[in-house]
């Protein structure tokens, strides 16, 4: 019955994505599923059982032995004389992939699609269906389909890469992930108008990929305006490790860093619900976490994980771990240029990183990135909760670190040497100093607003308030109106401060730098956001000000007057030294001038000639006269 089997299996064709046998040696109607078992529709009883999980396949030995090297080894190396059952629970692709491989062995036509090709390719490798057993075996067929069909299609490359999520490490070892990632990267960086492939802007998850032979060319018209972010949605359906692989390949091919950053933001928006909206991501204390239901990473058993995991305390849920992995990976992928992503996005990512207990090294790196763009932040972005119950309501220490990173960055930029010419360098240095000053002024306003907001927290210590208020240099504030409001708010929220603490608090601002508006207006009771006119002059304003404010201002004035007196003394000494220097300089110039104009003269005495200096000659003439 099996005599002609080897001949018949050598005459397969490969056309339109269909694997078939033109001359099957066994009359087979197909496979039939009965409950949890597959049977071959033939009159010959099965003599071999393959068990994969809960699914059993009742097959025949010879078709499997003729094409599967692994089956040969299992059967012939077995100590049992008549082995009729084998379990392949670790077969990649599971029962679905083995069903297709078994049909291939029996000569039944198999339609290849992007959804099944990766699992079938890995199963063929596992079963060792090589050319040594038969020319045109399953490894060769699936490799040809991947290379010539899948990788030439944008949509199929995306679908195959998506299907590789459950095939680690086989898909990695067989280079399926690498090849699909590079294919996607090449198409993302190319001009869509000049390439014929299908892109939809959205790959529906519920709809399976059509057969490649049935797909029509639906590439965009050459007259269609294609947006630069057309590839964002398709790439964002990938798992984070595969997304990183694609973005890395796109970076290598020279994609603009703004687009790379925008793709990262798009991915974060899709997979991290709390990155945009504050609600729905869990409580501040970390007791409950709702991270959404669209995560597909909980079934990830391996693959690429390039980031060290954070601490294993808190948030033990699988979805929270998946989100931690996403945050860690995105932090490491943000392009280096300063404005690749917005400061608002960085702060949202930082808030989530702190809540998910992301690795400390990555959090520090993210804080430095925020410091580079700190002047672009808003008050709402800075109000990051403190996740330690014993601390303040908001993470004031975090804002202090961000401010320090900003000042370090500003200092390094101002001290870096200019590569331009001397004249251009002057203009560049002036513009740079102006930009730095403007940035510091924006940060000063932001810090003052932040201090006003957090000052209402009774757990905020005076030291933390003072350190943050005095962190910026004096030149950053043209007026201290914002500090005045913050100090006033802190005093109202902390009525038990001692007189010494009140004086210490008032010294953080300079009353001489209050604007006219601040002199004629004052803050209403805590909780109101507008101002009301009070008394028309500074004197009456001081009369209505708390005693601690007046004492603080008086002490500040004394300090200022002392400094002014010392400065005047130094100026007087400097002028005296300058006058002495001018006198010495004039004397030196007079002597030098007389030496420059001197000339020798001859005088005959006793038949000899001697040379006299001009000064001696002049002295002699004056004596004679």
């Amino acid at each position: 019955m099996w005599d002609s089997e080897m001949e018949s299996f050598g005459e397969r064709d490969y056309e339109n994505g269909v694997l078939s046998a033109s001359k099957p040696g066994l009359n087979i109607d197909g496979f039939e599923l009965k409950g949890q078992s597959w049977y071959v529709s033939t009159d010959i009883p099965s003599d071999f059982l393959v068990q994969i999980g809960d699914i059993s396949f009742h097959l025949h030995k010879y078709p499997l032995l003729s094409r599967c090297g692994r089956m040969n080894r299992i059967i012939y190396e077995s100590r049992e004389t008549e082995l009729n059952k084998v379990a392949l629970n670790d077969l990649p692709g599971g029962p679905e992939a083995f069903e297709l491989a078994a049909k291939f062995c029996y000569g039944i036509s198999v339609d290849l699609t992007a959804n099944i090709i990766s699992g079938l390719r890995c199963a063929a490798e596992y079963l060792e269906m090589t050319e040594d057993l038969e020319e045109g075996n399953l490894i060769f067929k699936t490799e040809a389909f991947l290379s010539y069909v899948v990788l030439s299609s944008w949509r199929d490359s995306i679908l195959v890469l998506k299907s590789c999520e459950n095939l680690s490490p086989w898909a990695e070892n067989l280079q399926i992930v690498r090849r699909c990632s590079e294919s996607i990267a090449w198409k993302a960086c190319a001009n869509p108008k000049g390439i014929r492939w299908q892109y939809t802007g959205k790959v529906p998850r519920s709809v399976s990929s059509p057969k490649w032979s049935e797909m029509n060319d639906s590439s965009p018209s050459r007259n269609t305006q294609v947006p630069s972010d057309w590839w964002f949605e398709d790439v964002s359906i990938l798992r984070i490790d595969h997304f990183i692989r694609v973005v890395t390949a796109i970076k290598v091919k020279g994609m603009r860093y703004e687009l790379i950053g925008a793709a990262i933001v798009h991915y974060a928006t899709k997979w991290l619900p709390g990155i945009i909206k504050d609600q729905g991501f869990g409580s501040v204390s970390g007791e409950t976490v709702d991270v959404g239901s669209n995560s597909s990473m909980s079934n990830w058993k391996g693959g690429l994980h390039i980031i060290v995991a954070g601490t294993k305390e808190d948030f033990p849920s699988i979805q929270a771990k998946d989100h931690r992995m996403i945050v860690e990976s995105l932090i490491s992928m943000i392009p280096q240029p300063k404005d690749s992503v917005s400061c608002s996005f960085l702060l949202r990512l930082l808030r989530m990183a702190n809540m998910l207990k992301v690795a400390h090294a990555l959090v520090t790196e993210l804080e430095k990135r925020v410091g580079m763009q700190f002047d672009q932040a808003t008050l709402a972005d800075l109000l990051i909760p403190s996740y330690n119950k014993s601390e303040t309501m908001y993470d004031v220490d975090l804002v202090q670190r961000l401010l320090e990173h900003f000042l370090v960055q500003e200092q390094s930029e101002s001290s870096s040497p200019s590569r331009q010419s001397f004249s251009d360098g002057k203009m560049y240095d002036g513009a740079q100093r102006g930009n730095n000053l403007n940035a510091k002024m924006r940060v000063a306003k932001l810090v003052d607003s932040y201090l006003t907001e957090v000052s209402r927290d009774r757990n905020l210590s005076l030291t933390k308030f003072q350190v943050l208020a005095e962190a910026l240099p004096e030149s950053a504030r043209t007026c201290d109106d914002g500090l005045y409001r913050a100090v006033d708010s802190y005093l109202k929220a902390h009525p038990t401060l001692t007189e010494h603490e009140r004086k210490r608090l008032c010294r953080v601002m300079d009353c001489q730098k209050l604007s006219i508006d601040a002199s004629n207006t004052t803050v209403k009771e805590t909780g109101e956001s507008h101002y009301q006119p009070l008394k028309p002059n500074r004197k009456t304003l001081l009369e209505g000000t708390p005693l601690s404010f007046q004492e603080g201002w008086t002490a500040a004035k004394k300090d200022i007057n002392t400094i002014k007196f010392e400065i005047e003394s130094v100026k007087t000494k400097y002028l005296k030294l300058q006058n002495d220097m001018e006198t010495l300089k004039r004397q030196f110039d007079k002597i030098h001038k007389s030496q420059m104009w001197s000339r020798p003269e001859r005088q005959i005495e006793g038949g000899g000639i001697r040379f006299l200096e001009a000064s001696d000659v002049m002295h002699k003439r004056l004596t004679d006269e």
Side-chain angles (χ1 to χ4, degrees), residues 429-500:
D429 291 341
Q432 185 68 27
R433 285 193 297 269
N435 292 334
N436 291 345
L437 182 59
N438 291 334
K440 288 179 182 178
M441 293 174 65
R442 290 193 296 269
V443 170
K445 292 180 180 179
L446 178 64
V447 170
D448 292 348
S449 300
Y450 181 80
L451 286 171
T452 302
E453 186 68 27
V454 300
S455 62
R456 302 184 180 96
D457 185 0
R458 294 182 179 274
N459 293 327
L460 179 63
S461 66
L462 176 60
T463 300
K464 286 188 176 182
F465 183 95
Q466 184 179 7
V467 168
L468 187 57
E470 296 176 344
L472 286 166
E474 185 179 355
S475 59
R477 292 183 177 91
T478 57
C479 68
D480 281 5
D481 291 9
L483 273 180
Y484 174 82
R485 298 178 191 123
V487 170
D488 180 69
S489 178
Y490 190 89
L491 285 171
K492 291 178 179 178
H494 300 79
T496 59
L497 291 178
T498 65
E499 285 301 315
H500 174 72

Side-chain angles (χ1 to χ4, degrees), residues 145-159:
F145 186 83
L146 277 170
S147 300
Y148 297 107
V149 179
V150 170
L151 298 182
S152 63
S153 167
W154 166 265
R155 189 165 184 259
D156 283 352
S157 298
I158 293 285
L159 291 175

Side-chain angles (χ1 to χ4, degrees), residues 308 358-366:
V308 294
V358 166
H360 179 72
L362 292 175
V363 173
T364 301
E365 181 64 25
L366 185 57

Side-chain angles (χ1 to χ4, degrees), residues 23 27 31 68 90 150 197 212 217 219 259 263 289 305 323 355 393 430 471 476-477 484 489 503 507 533 556 597:
K23 296 179 181 179
N27 187 13
F31 277 35
C68 300
D90 57 344
V150 170
W197 76 77
W212 75 275
D217 175 33
S219 60
L259 281 178
V289 180
H305 185 27
H323 282 76
M355 191 182 69
M393 180 183 300
R477 292 183 177 91
Y484 174 82
S489 178
K503 293 178 183 179
R507 288 193 180 97
W597 287 97

Side-chain angles (χ1 to χ4, degrees), residues 237-248:
I237 73 170
L238 301 173
R239 196 175 62 188
I240 183 62
D241 58 324
H242 293 161
F243 174 76
I244 295 298
R245 293 289 291 271
V246 171
V247 171
T248 301

